[in-house]
Amino acid sequence: MSDLLSAFLHLLLLFKLVAPVTFRHHRYDDLVRTLYKVHNQCPYITRIYSIGRSVKGRHLYVLEFSDYPGIHEALEPEVKYVGNMHGDEVLGRELLLQLSEFLCEEFRNQNQRITRLIQETRIHILPSMNPDGYEAAANRGPKIPGHLVGRNNANEVDLNRNFPDLNTYFYYNEKHGGPNHHLPLPDNWESQLAKVYSYAHGWMHQGWNCGDYFPDGITNGASWYSLSKGMQDFNYLHTNCFEITLELSCNKFPRQEELQREWLGNREALIQFLEQVHHGIKGMVLDENHHNLTGAVISVSGINHDVTAGEQGDYFRLLLPGTYTVTATAPGFDPLTENVIVHPGKPTLVNFYLKRSITQVNPAKKAPGGGQGSRVKAQPRITKKKDGARKQPHRGPA
């Protein structure tokens, strides 16, 4: 009898830890209500902000999960999920809404894995990058054929083919010498990006280590030039973002009754992908007086792509387990090289303390690569709690 009772209690606990999610398609108003419902249920670990508006004026809402929402904590990596870039490809949108509900509910249920993930990671979720296209596709519905209806935005711009092509610059620099990161924008893109910078810099100033420049097609629909690329290529070469584009399902607009199966098939992968941001190395780049060096360049021998330290002097570099030779450089300082062993699991902490160069005394010159975030300057020292000291939200969940 005791074994039966034990099994019953275990089953109850299992159901308790499986968060209820909403298995239905969400039109724009319903999407917004869902995001705010999650925020209201988990107000101390979430924040909602907008990175701009669509052509038809719909806000592009982002839901953030963090134990200190709105704040970039030194040595705490950030990761983003962006869904529904093509408006007629809706599964990513629905999975991200379900993931948002799941993270909130599991945190409230004191799921240790989810609690640790939210305490140690800053997560940004944009369920729909193309809400106008989605509405066009949703008007037809999943049962009515309509090839490519809603794929583009309201100005008929394919958002995933509307970023500057920096590959040519990269290959030229690889052959003749030049930066392999933070590549400058082509001249004919500068004026166009200036028109949407007010939208783009919203994400940059949330503490991201990357600049996500959303094309003008989302906002005012100005004409763009040829030689455009996808978002993942652009972010990799112009910023510190390591990004992939993942296609989900052969059915662009699955029936509502199929959403639960898709969620169960993708739930673990969605969580594990967030956890991957904690693999590799991370650390601070400091001067002799322990001041943070913003924009210092971190190079890994044998890997032709560098990353830079953020405004607080912290850096993050995804690496597989192995042994690496890592170098930190900054104008006005002598470079420093460390041999690093990366283990599976949590990242290896590697701090660099750079000494001012005798032959180069001006630390304000541009670091290699130019572009956004490449100026090196001393910042007040930012201390970070030890990994063993668990951070707590401002207040516990209701």
Side-chain angles (χ1 to χ4, degrees):
M1 185 67 176
S2 60
D3 291 341
L4 183 61
L5 178 61
S6 176
F8 177 72
L9 292 176
H10 180 75
L11 188 61
L12 282 179
L13 180 62
L14 178 64
F15 278 112
K16 181 182 178 182
L17 293 180
V18 177
V21 292
T22 307
F23 299 113
R24 68 174 187 275
H25 288 289
H26 295 73
R27 301 294 289 258
Y28 178 75
D29 289 343
D30 201 10
L31 177 148
V32 174
R33 281 192 292 268
T34 299
L35 294 180
Y36 274 94
K37 182 191 75 172
V38 173
H39 173 60
N40 290 335
Q41 291 176 342
C42 292
Y44 306 113
I45 60 164
T46 62
R47 180 175 69 104
I48 295 176
Y49 62 94
S50 172
I51 59 170
R53 291 178 181 266
S54 69
V55 175
K56 293 191 173 182
R58 296 181 173 97
H59 275 288
L60 306 179
Y61 282 119
V62 179
L63 179 64
E64 173 190 339
F65 283 88
S66 171
D67 55 348
Y68 290 93
I71 300 172
H72 172 73
E73 300 176 71
L75 295 178
E76 184 168 294
E78 307 202 15
V79 62
K80 65 176 180 177
Y81 271 135
V82 177
N84 202 208
M85 180 180 292
H86 291 145
D88 62 336
E89 297 171 2
V90 307
L91 183 57
R93 170 193 180 107
E94 298 305 329
L95 290 181
L96 291 182
L97 288 174
Q98 291 161 5
L99 175 65
S100 301
E101 293 180 312
F102 180 81
L103 292 176
C104 174
E105 289 296 328
E106 292 302 286
F107 183 86
R108 288 163 58 92
N109 289 334
Q110 300 181 9
N111 182 320
Q112 292 184 3
R113 181 187 184 191
I114 300 304
T115 299
R116 182 172 59 251
L117 180 64
I118 291 174
Q119 288 177 337
E120 298 179 353
T121 320
R122 193 177 180 203
I123 303 166
H124 304 258
I125 298 176
L126 173 64
S128 181
M129 185 175 167
N130 186 1
D132 296 348
Y134 174 86
E135 293 300 314
N139 284 337
R140 285 183 172 267
K143 297 180 180 179
I144 301 177
H147 185 59
L148 300 182
V149 172
R151 174 184 175 88
N152 299 338
N153 74 349
N155 283 332
E156 289 303 322
V157 174
D158 185 333
L159 299 182
N160 200 33
R161 304 293 187 275
N162 201 35
F163 289 81
D165 184 0
L166 301 179
N167 291 339
T168 302
Y169 294 81
F170 177 81
Y171 293 135
Y172 179 88
N173 290 348
E174 188 176 45
K175 183 176 181 179
H176 300 284
N180 57 26
H181 63 108
H182 285 84
L183 298 186
L185 296 168
D187 291 338
N188 57 359
W189 284 84
E190 292 285 357
S191 60
Q192 296 293 335
L193 281 179
K195 296 179 181 179
V196 292
Y197 181 72
S198 61
Y199 299 98
H201 90 297
W203 272 21
M204 294 177 67
H205 288 282
Q206 304 303 327
W208 288 62
N209 285 324
C210 61
D212 289 280
Y213 290 99
F214 284 95
D216 215 32
I218 293 180
T219 52
N220 59 26
S223 298
W224 282 85
Y225 301 94
S226 58
L227 297 178
S228 57
K229 277 288 185 178
M231 185 166 68
Q232 74 281 357
D233 294 335
F234 171 72
N235 279 340
Y236 183 69
L237 295 176
H238 185 62
T239 78
N240 271 1
C241 275
F242 284 26
E243 184 173 310
I244 66 169
T245 296
L246 183 64
E247 303 286 346
L248 287 170
S249 176
C250 295
N251 187 353
K252 290 187 174 185
F253 208 125
R255 297 193 306 270
Q256 191 158 283
E257 52 268 28
E258 298 174 7
L259 294 179
Q260 183 174 8
R261 182 192 66 192
E262 295 287 359
W263 164 245
L264 295 176
N266 287 282
R267 180 180 63 192
E268 178 62 21
L270 287 165
I271 300 299
Q272 282 201 27
F273 188 81
L274 294 175
E275 293 172 333
Q276 298 306 306
V277 75
H278 293 282
H279 289 194
I281 61 175
K282 67 178 182 180
M284 305 291 295
V285 185
L286 310 169
D287 67 10
E288 295 171 283
N289 297 317
H290 288 211
H291 292 151
N292 307 326
L293 292 179
T294 300
V297 176
I298 310 299
S299 305
V300 180
S301 178
I303 300 179
N304 193 23
H305 185 81
D306 304 330
V307 298
T308 57
E311 291 185 3
Q312 297 182 2
D314 55 341
Y315 75 90
F316 307 88
R317 185 55 166 93
L318 296 176
L319 293 170
L320 293 173
T323 302
Y324 299 90
T325 301
V326 185
T327 301
T329 60
F333 294 84
D334 292 329
L336 182 61
T337 299
E338 300 282 356
N339 292 320
V340 179
I341 299 177
V342 175
H343 300 282
K346 67 179 183 179
T348 302
L349 183 65
V350 184
N351 294 325
F352 290 93
Y353 300 90
L354 303 187
K355 294 182 178 181
R356 194 172 298 278
S357 174
I358 298 176
T359 59
Q360 194 174 11
V361 296
N362 182 8
K365 293 182 179 179
K366 285 192 174 183
Q372 298 290 334
S374 61
R375 294 187 66 82
V376 176
K377 56 184 178 181
Q379 298 284 346
R381 184 183 180 188
I382 302 294
T383 58
K384 180 72 174 179
K385 297 178 182 178
K386 294 181 180 179
D387 291 340
R390 180 69 61 204
K391 304 188 303 297
Q392 297 297 330
H394 296 299
R395 293 179 57 187

